[in-house]
Amino acid sequence: MRFTLPPIESSEDISAAMNAVTAALARGIITPGEAERIANVVDTFARAIATTKRRESAVDPLQILGLSNFYETDDCDSEQDEDCDYEGTDDCDSK
């Protein structure tokens, strides 16, 4: 009899996959060594899914600082106050 690992596409699938591994081990379909190797594969999937979730939910530090609209080409030496992203600070002289 062959063991087929259920598809792993999300974190919810990890538990089902591990249940399938332990059930197959208990029935003698796979050996303890095979179960260990398969569990390592499932763990790799789990870490990849977790990494993907962290990247998707990562916050842009510039958004936290309120600088998401800041452009490196903005110039505080401009003669017009509205061109200065640093209004009200010593970094920009009002003219």
Side-chain angles (χ1 to χ4, degrees):
M1 184 174 234
R2 284 181 63 149
F3 170 73
T4 302
L5 185 66
I8 301 173
E9 297 177 8
S10 69
S11 58
E12 291 80 23
D13 298 333
I14 300 298
S15 180
M18 287 308 299
N19 286 338
V21 172
T22 55
L25 177 62
R27 291 188 188 117
I29 296 170
I30 58 175
T31 66
E34 291 169 327
E36 180 182 19
R37 287 192 300 270
I38 295 167
N40 286 334
V41 170
V42 173
D43 182 57
T44 300
F45 274 99
R47 286 186 279 126
I49 291 168
T51 298
T52 301
K53 282 186 176 184
R54 277 193 305 274
R55 287 182 182 158
E56 289 173 353
S57 65
V59 178
D60 180 2
L62 293 178
Q63 286 180 328
I64 293 172
L65 297 172
L67 298 175
S68 59
N69 293 327
F70 178 79
Y71 299 101
E72 290 183 27
T73 58
D74 285 350
D75 185 6
C76 280
D77 293 332
S78 173
E79 292 188 22
Q80 295 180 350
D81 288 342
E82 63 268 11
D83 290 339
C84 180
D85 286 336
Y86 300 106
E87 277 185 37
T89 68
D90 292 332
D91 295 328
C92 185
D93 297 326
S94 290
K95 301 204 178 176

